[in-house]
Structure formats: structure tokens, C-alpha cells
Amino acid sequence: MSNNRKKTILKVIILGDSGVGKTSLMQQFINGKFSQQYKATIGADFLPKDLTIDDKQVTMQIWDTAGQERFQSLGVAFYRGSDCCVLVYDVTNTKSFENVQSWRDEFLIQANIKDPDNFPFVVIGNKIDVEENKRLISSKKAQALCANLGNLPYFETSAKEAVNVEQAFDVVARNALQQEESLEFSDDYTDAVNIHVDGDNYGSCGC
Amino acid sequence: MEHKRDLSRKSSHSKMRTSTSSHRLLNRKASTLSSVERKGRKKDSIERFLESDQTVILSSLSQLRYSILCEGLPRNGDESCPYRVYVWSILLRAEPIETDYYVSLVQHGESNSFTKIHNDAFRTFKKDQTFSDKVSNGLLIRILNSYANEIELIHPNNSNLSPYVQGMNILLAPIAYISKSEPEAFCLFKRLLTKIIPMYVTPNLSGVLNGVKLVDIILELVDSKLFNHLKSKMLSAKIYALPSVLTLGACTPPLSEVLELWDFLFSYGVHLNIFFIISQVILIREDLLASKNPMTLLREFPKLEAKKVVKLSMSFVKAIPTDLYDLVVRHTWDPSIDDQIDEYDITGRNRS
């Protein structure tokens, strides 16, 4: 373990249409519980979680954003410095699926990503706990889209019943770490990293 | 109680005026609607004042404000003040509208924002049982949709107002809760959005963005240690205060305290919310300073305590330079102050 240096911060941003379950996914991953959602997110919101990835301690900072396009004017501040972007849709909502690509494009523009082809995205189809007949987007259809967008990893989750959430965020974390490490040696190293978490709290592994 | 609610609902279908700017009308409304209440309830001085004839509106208004400051509107246990809707209508100087007009907006059917509204309405104050007992999801949807219809239909070329933005549902909630009829709530809501905080509901939320900048500028001024601590954790007001600015503090429960805070905001100006937000942050400053992840404390502010927040705010308002205070006053409605706020922001940054 590389204990004599600053703990790595991974910034992960969750995007997707309003009501697809972004806040619930974040809550489920961080607190391990589902709360029937209290409110629509206004602006953005973030929660930290300490993780160990292959013996390396990191703090994942998950940013949850408002789904409504009105808030995109705020995007720059929220998107900048992201190490991974999670695109969420609701398997019972066709429109939210159709918008996955535009959320990705929006992110690439707003976050000013230098190497868009290699930036890590993870796609999540949420709400698979619903009855089969309410489901409108098949796995096949979703996988086709992800292949088309550049072989993006795809997960189907239920934030409500804690299905696959852990697994999805594990891939998110690994991809984010990889992205972060690739940036450390590049010129694009910006204000994305040297934030948060004082350098003296190594002992706490929050997994 | 049920019976009383039915009465007021029926009255909303008749052709009576739903709100008022003239005291004559107010007198009529207050006395007709509260006939059931009148028997069992002694009127306090504010209510008697509302029903009395007033000749000079401006001086009467300031008298009303002063009463609210000194006495506050009464609370009967869980019940909110029965005449609060009249007080708010007067303070916001909401013009009366015909119920038929509201009905025509409802009859227009779904606005372009309907799906978004439908998707947010049911999440409004979901954890608050008192609220959902009194305000139905359908009512919230109808009013928000009628407002969106009005903006889309009547001002199709006015791109300065957004038909719907997340957070409007929260702004409507306290109004819907205290109103005795649906058109009345619509009228107050419309007045608040289009005249009192029009810059908050522009398509790019410019007033809200100015609001959060002001929170940063003033927090730095009154508590630079806390400001710098938050800044070092990358926490600007844009991240933690945006919901509180946009919703005039209504996003922080409990609702009973929000109502009291709004009494004050409508009396002395909604711009004061900027100071209220700073107070809410300062009230937990020790915890924030000690925390490695202050955002976990700021995601949801501690339970609102209106009196405490107002009191603390009043203690540092005096320290705000006049030109800055002027920007705070104007930021909710004046489109011309963007540059001035940015300038203030930059000067502040250079100073620190």
C-alpha cells in the first residue's frame, strides 16, 4: 500500500433523466438502503465513500445531479474533473433510454474531455424489480446500444432491492481509478484531484 | 374539519374572487369564509387588523409587517394559522383572479411540461404526513400545469420565464398548504414566481446562480474561517445552497417552520433568504469545521428553526456594505445586476 502519499480521490458523476433513480442508486451504494425518494434533486448533491481496490485505498466521490435539462447550465462546475460517468436510464421508461446517448454527448462537451474515445462510461438500466410486463427496454436492446457507443459496460440494477448495485459500482470504481492514474502522468492534470480529504486519514478503510 | 374544507372547496367553484389587493374585498372574503371558524375562535389583533378598514395601503402594510415581526402569526398546535393566506396575499399584493380563468387554464389540458410535473409532484414533501393529508397530488399537478400552460400559451414569446423547473413544486407546496382554494393558491404562486422572484425561474436560473454567488460573498465576509474551510473542501454555495436559494428555504423541513420563515420573507423581502441560508450554515459551523466531509452535513440542512435563523441573520445584516446589500435586494427580480455581482465576486477573490 502506498501510504505515504495523498489518498486518491475518484470523482464519479451520475447522469440520466429525471426520476430514473440516480439518487436512489447513490444512496443504495453508499448507505446500503433504499428510501422511497423524498424529493427531486435540485442542482447536485455528492456523497463520499471510502473503498479499497486491489489494496489501494481510494475515496470515491459520487456526484448525483438533477435530471432536468434546466440544470445543465450548471454542468461545467459539476462535471469538471470527473474520472468516470455513470449513465442511468429506467427500464420502464423508453424516453429515458433514448436519452442515454445525449447525456453522454452532453457530458463530453460540458466536461471538456480531451480524449472522449477512452473516457470511461458505465451504463445502468435501473428498476428491474418491476413486473416483467412493465419493462419496456430489453437487455438485448440495451446491450446493442452500449456496444454501439463503444463497448460500454452495462448493468441492470434495482436500487430498491439492492440488485447488482455493488457490482456496477465496483466496475465504476475500477474504471475511474484507471482513468485517474492515466491522468496523473498527462498534461491534463487539473484541479480535479487535489481536493477533499486531508492527508492524514489512511487507517480508515470504509468497506 | 372535513366539513369546513368542503365548504371552502365549494366556494372555489363559485365566481368569487380568490385573492385581493383591495381591503374592501379582503374584508368580504375573510368574513364570509371564516363564519364557521368565527364562532369557536377569538380573533387576535392581527386578524382584527386585517378586517378593519384601511385608508392608506402603504402605512397599513408596514403596520402589518411590524405585527408579524413582533407577535408572529398564531399557532394552534398542529394547525397552521387560519388566516395566513390572507396575510400572504396582502403582503405579496397578489391581484385577484377569476376562478373561471383558472378553470380555463386547467381545461387546456396537458402543458409541454406535464410529464416533468407529473414526475416531480408526487415526490413533494413526501415524508410529511400532515402535508399529504391536506394537499393532494392532483392539486399540485393541476396548479403547476396551469402555470406552465399560462406561460406557454399566453406568453409564448416570453423566453424569460420557464414554464416548469424542478423546485417549483417545492415553492408551490407551502402555498398550497395554507390556501383555502385551488385558484387562490394558483394566484399566490403565480404572483410569487412572476413578480417576486422572476429571475429565479428564468430558463437558465440566472437569479439562483446570482443568489448562490451572494451566499459565497457574504459568508466570506461574515465568517471567513468557515468559508475557507468549505472552499478547501471544494464546497461552494453553488453546490450546497442551490436548493435552498431556489426554493426560498422550503426544501428544509419542518413545514410549520417554513411557513414562519415565509411570513418573515414576505413581510420584509424574499432577498433575506440569502442571509437565512448563511445562518443555517453558521448554526452548524463547529460541526462543519470539525468534519472531513462537510458535504455530508450540508446535503440536508438541520431541521429548520425559523426564529433562530431570523435572529442570527439580523445580527450580521448590519455588517453588509450598502452596495452589496443593494445587490442582494435586487437579485431576485433585476436582470441587470449580473456584472455587478461578478465584479464583487472578483474583487473579493483578489482581496483574499
Side-chain angles (χ1 to χ4, degrees), chain A residues 97-154:
Chain A
F97 176 71
E98 289 165 357
N99 282 339
V100 164
Q101 182 161 359
S102 37
W103 279 109
R104 187 196 64 154
D105 297 345
E106 172 76 18
F107 172 80
L108 289 173
I109 296 165
Q110 295 263 24
N112 194 21
I113 300 297
K114 294 287 187 303
D115 184 7
D117 292 338
N118 291 313
F119 187 86
F121 287 94
V122 171
V123 179
I124 290 181
N126 191 36
K127 303 195 186 175
I128 55 162
D129 49 274
V130 295
E131 295 152 40
E132 196 51 44
N133 61 353
K134 280 192 181 162
R135 183 166 174 161
L136 298 175
I137 306 297
S138 66
S139 303
K140 212 171 163 186
K141 203 170 171 185
Q143 274 156 1
L145 175 80
C146 292
N148 199 20
L149 292 177
N151 286 324
L152 306 183
Y154 173 64

Side-chain angles (χ1 to χ4, degrees), chain A residues 18 38 45 68-69 74 196, chain B residues 116 119 123 166 293 299:
Chain A
S18 183
Y38 176 45
D45 189 6
Q68 206 191 336
E69 70 276 15
L74 305 169
H196 234 251
Chain B
K116 291 172 197 159
N119 194 16
R123 299 192 269 182
Q166 281 181 329
N293 287 311
R299 281 185 73 228

